[in-house]
Amino acid sequence: MANDSNLINKVKEYLEEHDAPHPIRYLRALVSSPRLSDHFVRGIDTSGLVLVADSFLSEYTMMGDHAQRSYGVALEEWMRIKGGLKEVESFHFTDSSVVRIQVWPFDPAELKLDAMKVAVALTFTDLEMIYESRICGAVDDLLAEYRIDPYPGM
């Protein structure tokens, strides 16, 4: 999992066994996506939460973010707080009162930056990258040092 304390060394060693550029499926064969589920909510205190998904990409690449910021929480924390939140089914794309919560099996705040880059990159599915080329380009930037090709089907 992405919270393995030796993740980056394992990724580098694994990728060295293969010729670059490395298809993202090689990375997915080694590390599972931490994304369990997504929920759009109102009424959450985001102080202390960690940016994930598009919001993380926006911070570390040239990709712009949506009005709804994305934060990651551990499954245990989600189970504790979800009852006090109002989940929303639909909202206007400019409604910044809505927050996207991505549930992970562990607390994303525990990850160092390099591990977080790998973890966030793996939260995007091939279909999401096909549908939104901005995401694919941002993941490409995020993983450039590993010479990983994020383009689906390659």
Side-chain angles (χ1 to χ4, degrees):
M1 284 184 39
N3 64 339
D4 183 307
S5 62
N6 200 22
L7 175 71
I8 298 306
N9 287 334
K10 288 180 179 178
V11 166
K12 288 178 179 176
E13 287 173 12
Y14 178 75
L15 293 178
E16 283 176 5
E17 297 174 11
H18 306 281
D19 293 332
H22 312 289
I24 197 165
R25 70 177 176 268
Y26 288 15
L27 185 59
R28 288 186 176 138
L30 181 65
V31 185
S32 60
S33 169
R35 178 180 175 185
L36 299 176
S37 61
D38 292 354
H39 306 271
F40 290 92
V41 301
R42 284 193 176 97
I44 186 169
D45 177 10
T46 60
S47 60
L49 296 182
V50 175
L51 294 175
V52 297
D54 299 28
S55 297
F56 182 88
L57 292 180
S58 181
E59 293 290 315
Y60 292 95
T61 70
M62 295 297 289
M63 188 178 101
D65 200 0
H66 299 283
Q68 298 77 35
R69 301 288 279 169
S70 299
Y71 297 92
V73 299
L75 177 59
E76 184 177 306
E77 177 68 5
W78 174 247
M79 299 305 288
R80 189 184 69 72
I81 66 172
K82 71 179 185 174
L85 301 173
K86 179 177 189 223
E87 285 200 58
V88 292
E89 297 289 323
S90 62
F91 49 88
H92 193 272
F93 72 94
T94 63
D95 185 350
S96 61
S97 71
V98 174
V99 171
R100 176 171 141 187
I101 297 296
Q102 200 169 82
V103 180
W104 288 20
F106 54 85
D107 184 355
E110 297 172 357
L111 298 182
K112 293 180 181 172
L113 181 58
D114 285 341
M116 189 65 162
K117 287 179 179 181
V118 170
V120 168
L122 291 172
T123 64
F124 293 100
T125 66
D126 284 348
L127 286 178
E128 288 170 319
M129 287 198 273
I130 290 168
Y131 179 73
E132 182 56 74
S133 61
R134 296 176 323 121
I135 291 172
C136 198
V139 169
D140 189 38
D141 290 347
L142 204 63
L143 299 177
E145 69 183 276
Y146 304 108
R147 299 186 62 203
I148 293 174
D149 182 355
Y151 298 95
M154 300 198 151

